Amino acid sequence: MRHDIEFHTTDGTLLRGWHYVPDGSGPFPTVVMATGLSGVKEGGRLPDLAGRFAAAGLAAVVYDHRNLGSSEGTPRQEIDPLLQMRDYSDAVTFAESLPRTDPDRIGAWGSSLSGGHVIVLAGQDRRVRAIVAQVPMVSGRECGQRLVPAPALAAAAAFHRADRRARMAGGEPAMIPVASPDPAAPAALPTPDSWEFVQKDNDFPTYRNEVTLRSMELLTGYEPALLIERVSPTPMLMIVAEDDLVCPPELQLAAYSRAHEPKRYVGVRGGHFDVYRETPAFDLAADAAVTFFTEHLGAPA
């Protein structure tokens, strides 16, 4: 069963989403979930995954990040990873308040950028009893350098400077596409599979193929891997796509190698976006997440 939910963060921003509840009276172990980068809760097969959790006896709180989708917050389409990560902690607090949640059995699932968020969250918030980090963005700086050629990064400095001045003067923030059909054009995710995913898999009324230019600066300074050694003793599952062009597998594996037990690694064939489609990669990743959370959060009371 799915219910609409909304809750305020500690800074007053209203976030909206869904609460998936298994059959029965509970209280249930509960997984907090949100999408990566510019995604919305309708995409990335989050409804399918949350439904699988519910079928296995795990409730789920799924929500849109601030500034995106059905959630409130301004500037619209701005990705502030530190604020998004803090909102995860507020989502845990909200989940605790739900009468059908077992507050001692809360987990967190994240993918891509939010895969990095749950690593940071688990390193700081011991209320979280298990995490699944799927194709996680573990280093904003390293991912940015590998996605964008050095000359383009240098040229972008002038645009960022102009954007700062315009915003300080009260102007609207400059925008950049998430993905573009032109591989040479500026984009947050300048890979061919990013454009294909945006075109084919994000046909939702609340989705927009753009983020603020400032988002790219904020992402560049976000380093979830710096906290990965602090995740333990919270159990962590990391799911890595072998041909990931957005979040390079070697960066994820290097971070995983530094994490302490208990931890588990699952590799899936395909690229970054195959875990969001009707593919064997999605099924393998979903089954692994269900098994991991059931093992570490337990079955319904």
Side-chain angles (χ1 to χ4, degrees), residues 202-217:
N202 279 289
D203 186 19
F204 306 108
T206 58
Y207 181 78
R208 289 166 55 185
N209 179 29
E210 62 179 1
V211 295
T212 66
L213 180 63
R214 181 171 180 256
S215 298
M216 306 316 297
E217 285 188 301

Side-chain angles (χ1 to χ4, degrees), residues 126-197:
R126 292 301 172 200
R127 296 176 300 165
V128 177
R129 302 305 174 92
I131 65 166
V132 173
Q134 177 176 271
V135 294
M137 196 283 284
V138 295
S139 172
R141 179 175 178 272
E142 290 292 333
C143 285
Q145 288 182 340
R146 297 183 187 215
L147 281 171
V148 183
L153 286 173
F159 294 107
H160 285 291
R161 187 179 305 113
D163 180 49
R164 291 191 201 101
R165 292 173 177 169
R167 290 174 68 145
M168 183 169 285
E172 292 296 316
M175 308 299 289
I176 186 173
V178 176
S180 169
D182 180 359
L189 300 178
T191 66
D193 56 344
S194 297
W195 172 247
E196 180 184 14
F197 179 70

Side-chain angles (χ1 to χ4, degrees), residues 48 55 83 96 140 153 202 218 227 230 243 264 266 273 285 287:
D48 292 341
L83 291 180
E96 287 179 320
L153 286 173
N202 279 289
L218 296 172
L227 279 138
R230 298 186 185 180
D243 300 315
R264 185 174 303 163
V266 170
F273 300 100
D287 289 346

Side-chain angles (χ1 to χ4, degrees), residues 19 28-32 58-61 95 98 100-102 105-108 297:
H19 184 208
F28 299 105
T30 299
V31 180
V32 173
L58 303 159
V61 170
L98 296 171
R100 299 176 77 180
T101 297
D102 184 339
R105 296 190 292 167
I106 293 179
L297 300 180

Side-chain angles (χ1 to χ4, degrees), residues 188-298:
L189 300 178
T191 66
D193 56 344
S194 297
W195 172 247
E196 180 184 14
F197 179 70
V198 164
Q199 290 298 295
K200 293 183 178 179
D201 300 280
N202 279 289
D203 186 19
F204 306 108
T206 58
Y207 181 78
R208 289 166 55 185
N209 179 29
E210 62 179 1
V211 295
T212 66
L213 180 63
R214 181 171 180 256
S215 298
M216 306 316 297
E217 285 188 301
L218 296 172
L219 290 165
T220 300
Y222 191 51
E223 297 293 325
L226 295 179
L227 279 138
I228 200 162
E229 291 166 299
R230 298 186 185 180
V231 171
S232 177
T234 301
M236 177 186 73
L237 168 64
M238 185 179 288
I239 300 170
V240 178
E242 296 174 355
D243 300 315
D244 197 329
L245 299 178
V246 175
C247 298
E250 60 270 24
L251 296 181
Q252 299 173 58
L253 292 172
Y256 179 83
S257 71
R258 296 190 358 253
H260 301 300
E261 298 288 348
K263 62 182 181 178
R264 185 174 303 163
Y265 164 82
V266 170
V268 298
R269 292 184 177 179
H272 187 80
F273 300 100
D274 286 305
V275 293
Y276 305 134
R277 296 187 171 118
E278 292 186 18
T279 64
F282 172 81
D283 289 326
L284 179 58
D287 289 346
V290 169
T291 298
F292 189 79
F293 281 131
T294 301
E295 176 182 342
H296 291 286
L297 300 180

Side-chain angles (χ1 to χ4, degrees), residues 70-81:
S70 61
S71 288
E72 296 185 357
T74 55
R76 297 306 294 175
Q77 301 302 119
E78 181 144 291
I79 313 299
D80 188 325

